[in-house]
């Protein structure tokens, strides 16, 4: 997942900031929002770790295997949770993509990708299409729409739907960037 230096550090910062905000969202009074925020925090911090430049740290193959196991388990949890909420299908695709990238990184000859060939082109292409579409759809949902009679704004940081959407948009952009370098 390693590209040009400054772009890579921006991706690390974006993903880490997103994960940190998702931790704040876990203080929400709504249980479903807390659960989704926890999954998104795991994704944000996991993406930040995976995007750290290889010049700084090159994780051993065992670390990539651990990432694959963690995100594989998260994918199974998202699959189970998708029975009650369609939003978990997006979490399922995201956690599958993270596990897929970790397996690709573990299988890469030098232990890190960045020059292509670390994954199956068809799977990578399908994931790229999904996340590119998701980014466009999320971006459109962030455009403010004037509504008459809308209620008062949410009081806490964890209950701001526009910030949650911005986090998901950020992670989608990060996922596209990471898949492009796989």
């Amino acid at each position: 997942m390693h590209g040009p230096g400054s772009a890579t550090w921006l991706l690390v910062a974006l993903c880490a900031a997103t994960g940190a905000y998702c931790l704040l969202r876990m203080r929400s009074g709504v249980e479903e929002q807390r659960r989704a925020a926890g999954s998104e925090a795991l994704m944000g911090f996991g993406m930040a770790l995976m995007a750290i430049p290889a010049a700084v740290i090159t994780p051993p193959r065992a670390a990539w295997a651990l990432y694959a196991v963690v995100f594989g388990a998260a994918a199974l949890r998202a699959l189970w949770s998708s029975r009650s909420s369609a939003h978990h299908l997006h979490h399922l695709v995201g956690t599958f993509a993270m596990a897929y990238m970790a397996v690709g990184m573990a299988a890469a000859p030098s232990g890190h990708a960045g020059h292509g060939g670390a994954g199956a082109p068809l799977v990578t292409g399908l994931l790229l299409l999904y996340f590119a579409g998701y980014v466009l759809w999320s971006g459109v949902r962030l455009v403010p729409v004037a509504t008459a009679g809308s209620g008062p704004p949410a009081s806490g940081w964890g209950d701001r739907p526009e910030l949650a959407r911005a986090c998901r948009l950020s992670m989608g952009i990060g996922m596209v960037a990471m898949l492009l370098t796989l």
Side-chain angles (χ1 to χ4, degrees):
M1 299 328 122
H2 308 293
S6 60
T8 302
W9 282 115
L10 287 172
L11 179 61
V12 170
L14 175 73
C15 293
T18 300
Y21 176 69
C22 289
L23 286 179
L24 285 176
R25 285 183 37 226
M26 289 180 68
R27 298 183 338 184
S28 171
V30 180
E31 182 180 348
E32 182 59 30
Q33 287 180 14
R34 284 193 310 268
R35 204 174 292 144
S39 297
E40 291 164 2
L42 174 68
M43 291 289 292
F45 289 127
M47 289 171 67
L49 283 173
M50 289 175 81
I52 293 175
V56 174
I57 185 170
T58 302
R61 287 192 193 277
W64 294 117
L66 178 64
Y67 289 158
V69 168
V70 167
F71 286 106
L76 290 174
R77 182 177 180 269
L79 179 63
W80 181 258
S81 298
S82 68
R83 298 174 306 123
S84 62
S85 172
H87 176 72
H88 291 285
L89 291 174
H90 172 68
H91 286 216
L92 174 62
V93 175
T95 52
F96 169 77
M98 292 292 286
Y100 168 74
M101 287 187 286
V103 167
M105 298 294 276
S110 63
H112 68 276
H115 303 291
L122 178 63
V123 176
T124 304
L126 289 172
L127 288 170
L128 271 169
L129 281 174
Y130 173 81
F131 283 105
Y134 183 80
V135 164
L136 293 172
W137 178 73
S138 295
V140 168
R141 290 184 61 202
L142 280 176
V143 175
V145 178
T147 58
S150 64
S155 59
W157 282 98
D159 295 321
R160 305 273 310 262
E162 70 279 6
L163 292 176
R165 287 186 195 121
C167 271
R168 292 180 190 124
L169 174 64
S170 298
M171 285 192 288
I173 292 168
M175 197 66 86
V176 168
M178 290 173 77
L179 285 165
L180 282 173
T181 62
L182 184 62

